[in-house]
Amino acid sequence: MKAIKNLEDLFYHELQVLWSAEAMLVEAMPAMIERAQNTGLKKNLALHLAETDQHKVALEMICRELGIDPQGDFNPGIKGILEEGQKVMAKDATPEGMDAALIAGAQKVEHYEISGYGSAAHYAEMLGYDAIAKRLRLTLEEEQQADTKLNFLAKNIVNRRAKAVAPVTPAV
Ligand code: ZN
Ligand code: FE
């Protein structure tokens, strides 16, 4: 692993762990889409999978421009969030309960990405990579929009439906 001496090194590190995150997400999202029952949620996740693929390609282009290997680092943070999600997805659940759980898991990912892209875009601006900063800001906006849409779906539809599922009455 390369030493982080300055902001430039940290910028490269951040790009590599973001690429690692997007690559893992592209692999993990189809199972979430499959598991989702609510049509709005399914569509939303499918749309964001397409965006995620573009985010990954954008990072590859940025790394090429900077002369660094996008695959130069690994992201244990996103791996952990995904493992948590996989544990939840393996549970026995009602469709309503699982939809609510899927949104909560997806929002954890979005918040992680919002934080990472926020840092990376700021580093790019400070280091004078204006075009790269713009591309990173565009991805950041898409992550924020994905989070906002998930939040809307959760609050207005999915969580309400999960709340309305009747509890199993204990046998007396
Ligand atoms: Zn993304
Ligand atoms: Fe995302």
Side-chain angles (χ1 to χ4, degrees):
M1 217 183 292
K2 226 183 146 256
I4 296 172
K5 301 178 299 295
N6 53 31
L7 202 69
E8 183 98 22
D9 293 337
L10 181 58
F11 177 46
Y12 295 171
H13 165 79
E14 196 58 50
L15 292 172
Q16 288 171 328
V17 289
L18 281 169
W19 184 87
S20 172
E22 301 288 17
M24 280 187 259
L25 289 167
V26 167
E27 295 298 315
M29 285 180 75
M32 293 173 71
I33 296 166
E34 177 123 356
R35 194 75 201 268
Q37 290 291 314
N38 180 272
T39 337
L41 178 58
K42 245 188 203 308
K43 267 193 203 155
N44 214 283
L45 292 172
L47 203 100
H48 195 55
L49 171 57
E51 286 176 344
T52 302
D53 214 27
Q54 287 166 17
H55 297 165
K56 184 172 156 246
V57 173
L59 286 169
E60 284 158 15
M61 284 162 62
I62 290 168
C63 286
R64 192 176 313 144
E65 209 179 307
L66 296 168
I68 58 168
D69 180 6
Q71 302 195 41
D73 216 331
F74 174 72
N75 190 328
I78 278 287
K79 184 159 187 278
I81 295 177
L82 287 174
E83 276 172 8
E84 184 196 340
Q86 275 146 12
K87 257 178 86 175
V88 173
M89 281 167 64
K91 282 184 192 284
D92 193 18
T94 61
E96 293 85 353
M98 184 50 68
D99 279 350
L102 286 170
I103 293 190
Q107 284 194 279
K108 287 181 186 176
V109 171
E110 298 317 326
H111 283 221
Y112 180 100
E113 292 184 292
I114 288 165
S115 165
Y117 278 104
S119 297
H122 181 65
Y123 301 156
E125 279 151 14
M126 284 190 70
L127 295 164
Y129 298 117
D130 296 342
I132 291 173
K134 260 191 199 134
R135 186 60 189 82
L136 291 169
R137 289 251 170 243
L138 191 77
T139 300
L140 176 60
E141 262 169 46
E142 286 178 355
E143 308 293 17
Q144 284 166 334
Q145 279 165 16
D147 181 56
T148 304
K149 283 187 213 160
L150 288 168
N151 216 26
F152 180 88
L153 263 177
K155 287 190 170 162
N156 293 293
I157 303 163
V158 174
N159 292 356
R160 289 183 188 183
R161 290 193 184 155
K163 187 185 174 191
V165 176
V168 180
T169 40
V172 183

